[in-house]
Amino acid sequence: MKTKKSTSLRNFVTAIVLAAALLAAGALWVLLGWRGALDVTLTDLAGDPAALRGFTMRGQSSLGSAHTYWELHDGYLDTAFALDPDGDEEQYRYSAPGVATRTIYALTPESRAAVDAAARRVQSYADSWRLESAASAFRVMAEIYINGGVLRVALRDAAANEPVAVTACAEAPSYLARTSCQYDYEADSPEQLQNMETDHDFIAGQLFSLGGGQGLVWKRTIGSRRAGLYRAAPVSYEALEALPADGKAGDRAVLCATTEVGTLEPFYCPEDARLVACGLPMADGLTLCVYINKVDKACADLVNAAGVRVDHLELAEFAGQADFSAVALPRGTDRDAVLHIYGDDYTGYLTALRVENGSFALHQSLPVGESVYLRNAEAAVLNTAGDALLIATPEYTTVGEGGTDNAYNIYQTGTLLLVCPLDGSGTRYRGRLNTGAERDWGAQQLGEDWRRVSLRRYMSYELYEKDRRRQL
């Protein structure tokens, strides 16, 4: 006997299928809507698009949790979109790691006992007390925060012509870390100390990979520590809390602010360096060191794994410049490096270097001059021929009265791409990466509360693997 299927069952199954289809269509509509609002497109503005051949640049545009990954190669732009991507995804989540620093004007070990004995207990708030005293002899300490760890090293000893007030917490609250201000005695007004102008300017650039560890650029010679590249090994906060106390602040046992924590070992310190500005890992196990020497010439050295120089270049002259900087722009290969080098201002040069067979194979510099686009370059890559740069730089639009002090009238409405020959012959191509930002500022003008809008729209670029730190 044949069994007749229930009509209601068929209708129920059909409804389920239709509902699933509608949900899928709705999700697709939402995704395509996001994609249409956030996609990255390239618009040719001037010059020959064929000038893009030989270049590869990658990055991502993000707005909140929406990410558009893009790759420009030989003039073709490929994009991929992800809405709230998986936290384990590593694609293009690049950031060159930096450091935070603090300068401590602490008591010298020899003066500590007398200063502590003379301290008086003062109530600062209803439930807190502090110790107040005075000192004339100080040890200047550099505290460096690196990747979730702490490095503390001595800079120099300093003396004051008149006693300087020092304070410390008399009763340390539970939340006060051992690196917090006034956990131990510190000078309240270090401006009275001698030769303090360089005490806050001892690190340049960002961290870089050095062998199996991390390198730190020590900018200038202070005390016995010479300017150069150093191997940095901080201690974790857990290890810091486990260190034994080695001093007293009143009745409190403390880890003295003059106690060095972690290690900072010299790797390469150029003999004639006045200021060291950049360290960067390169191909063939080499390290790039960029500095200005004592006759005001910017130089680049290639250094092997043993810390021995194997090649040297003079990049440019910066006569009469008190300061010197070299910023390594994002790159896609460790054989190339493009640096923005400059003195007291931000003009200087975009300098391109290429390494082959363990030495410099290419060195060209493009003057920045008065060009705001070159000065503000966020990324720059060499082409395969090594004769031109592809430069990504923000494009801004001013709404309302131009030239005013109203910063909210200025919006980044895209990213310009410039192909600039290294011989200075003029821009071959000019295009714009559109990310949707050009619509944002216009939409803001339509509403009364536009100043409250927080767009959080970002553009970032791929770094070579050894330069990056994963960002979730």
Side-chain angles (χ1 to χ4, degrees):
M1 184 176 76
K2 294 183 179 179
T3 303
K4 189 175 182 179
K5 291 185 179 179
S6 169
T7 302
S8 60
L9 178 60
R10 287 199 304 269
N11 291 341
F12 177 74
V13 172
T14 302
I16 292 295
V17 172
L18 286 174
L22 286 172
L23 286 173
L28 180 61
W29 179 81
V30 170
L31 184 62
L32 291 177
W34 273 98
R35 178 68 182 265
L38 298 170
D39 205 5
V40 175
T41 59
L42 176 60
T43 302
D44 300 327
L45 300 178
D48 185 0
L52 291 171
R53 293 173 185 163
F55 288 105
T56 299
M57 183 179 283
R58 303 181 186 92
Q60 73 168 304
S61 171
S62 58
L63 177 62
S65 61
H67 300 259
T68 302
Y69 310 120
W70 56 269
E71 177 178 347
L72 180 67
H73 54 94
D74 290 322
Y76 296 95
L77 183 66
D78 295 328
T79 63
F81 178 77
L83 184 60
D84 195 16
D86 187 351
D88 292 332
E89 181 186 336
E90 296 189 28
Q91 186 182 26
Y92 302 150
R93 295 175 181 272
Y94 299 102
S95 174
V99 298
T101 64
R102 185 168 80 94
T103 302
I104 305 170
Y105 294 86
L107 303 179
T108 60
E110 298 80 12
S111 65
R112 182 180 189 90
V115 172
D116 188 40
R120 63 191 184 99
R121 185 182 171 92
V122 177
Q123 187 171 11
S124 52
Y125 296 100
D127 59 347
S128 63
W129 296 77
R130 65 183 181 185
L131 296 172
E132 293 184 347
S133 191
S136 299
F138 293 87
R139 180 155 297 167
V140 186
M141 306 292 294
E143 202 162 73
I144 307 164
Y145 304 92
I146 303 174
N147 291 345
V150 182
L151 179 65
R152 185 195 285 165
V153 296
L155 293 178
R156 64 186 183 94
D157 284 350
N161 295 326
E162 299 291 336
V164 176
V166 295
T167 57
C169 288
E171 298 171 353
S174 59
Y175 60 80
L176 190 67
R178 289 178 129 183
T179 60
S180 299
C181 181
Q182 297 197 350
Y183 169 85
D184 190 21
Y185 288 105
E186 291 186 35
D188 289 347
S189 301
E191 297 81 7
Q192 302 178 48
L193 301 180
Q194 303 167 4
N195 304 319
M196 64 168 295
E197 62 275 4
T198 62
D199 290 343
H200 301 271
D201 190 26
F202 50 84
I203 290 178
Q206 296 171 312
L207 292 173
F208 61 97
S209 296
L210 183 58
Q214 52 197 350
L216 185 69
V217 181
W218 196 263
K219 183 175 182 179
R220 62 179 74 241
T221 297
I222 302 179
S224 61
R225 192 176 300 279
R226 293 170 53 196
L229 307 182
Y230 285 75
R231 296 185 188 274
V235 301
S236 67
Y237 290 109
E238 292 79 7
L240 180 69
E241 291 299 327
L243 291 176
D246 55 3
K248 300 282 288 185
D251 296 332
R252 289 175 53 228
V254 300
L255 178 69
C256 293
T258 52
T259 300
E260 294 193 312
V261 175
T263 60
L264 190 65
E265 299 295 334
F267 169 69
Y268 176 67
C269 300
E271 291 288 342
D272 59 342
R274 178 164 66 89
L275 300 172
V276 177
C278 182
L280 202 64
M282 301 296 292
D284 305 323
L286 300 174
T287 298
L288 175 68
C289 179
V290 184
Y291 59 97
I292 189 169
N293 63 20
K294 295 175 182 177
V295 292
D296 294 337
K297 292 182 178 179
C299 301
D301 288 353
L302 277 181
V303 185
N304 65 18
V308 177
R309 187 175 81 180
V310 296
D311 205 356
H312 170 80
L313 284 174
E314 289 186 359
L315 305 177
E317 187 169 350
F318 288 88
Q321 302 291 300
D323 204 356
F324 175 69
S325 297
V327 178
L329 299 179
R331 57 184 181 155
T333 169
D334 63 348
R335 295 205 171 273
D336 295 344
V338 180
L339 310 164
H340 181 194
I341 62 174
Y342 53 93
D344 293 333
D345 56 23
Y346 283 88
T347 57
Y349 303 89
L350 290 179
T351 297
L353 302 171
R354 176 167 288 169
V355 171
E356 291 179 1
N357 301 320
S359 62
F360 289 116
L362 181 149
H363 155 233
Q364 292 285 336
S365 290
L366 179 68
V368 170
E370 299 299 321
S371 172
V372 66
Y373 295 125
L374 299 188
R375 186 172 68 236
N376 293 335
E378 294 179 332
V381 292
L382 265 169
N383 59 359
T384 52
D387 61 2
L389 293 177
L390 175 61
I391 298 165
T393 185
E395 180 190 48
Y396 296 97
T397 296
T398 301
V399 179
E401 184 180 353
T404 67
D405 293 331
N406 298 325
Y408 57 78
N409 282 343
I410 303 173
Y411 302 89
Q412 182 176 347
T413 53
T415 296
L416 289 180
L417 294 182
L418 310 174
V419 175
C420 299
L422 287 166
D423 61 8
S425 58
T427 304
R428 292 179 187 166
Y429 171 81
R430 185 169 175 263
R432 181 192 296 115
L433 285 177
N434 301 301
T435 64
E438 67 281 355
R439 296 185 293 270
D440 294 335
W441 67 262
Q444 289 183 38
Q445 308 311 304
L446 301 177
E448 295 180 359
D449 296 330
W450 62 269
R451 293 188 195 178
R452 301 179 187 176
V453 178
S454 181
L455 298 174
R456 299 186 179 91
R457 193 180 288 269
Y458 303 103
M459 177 72 82
S460 59
Y461 301 88
E462 182 189 41
L463 297 178
Y464 178 68
E465 176 76 15
K466 293 179 181 178
D467 305 336
R468 73 168 186 155
R469 181 178 62 185
R470 183 180 174 194
Q471 297 290 291
L472 296 180

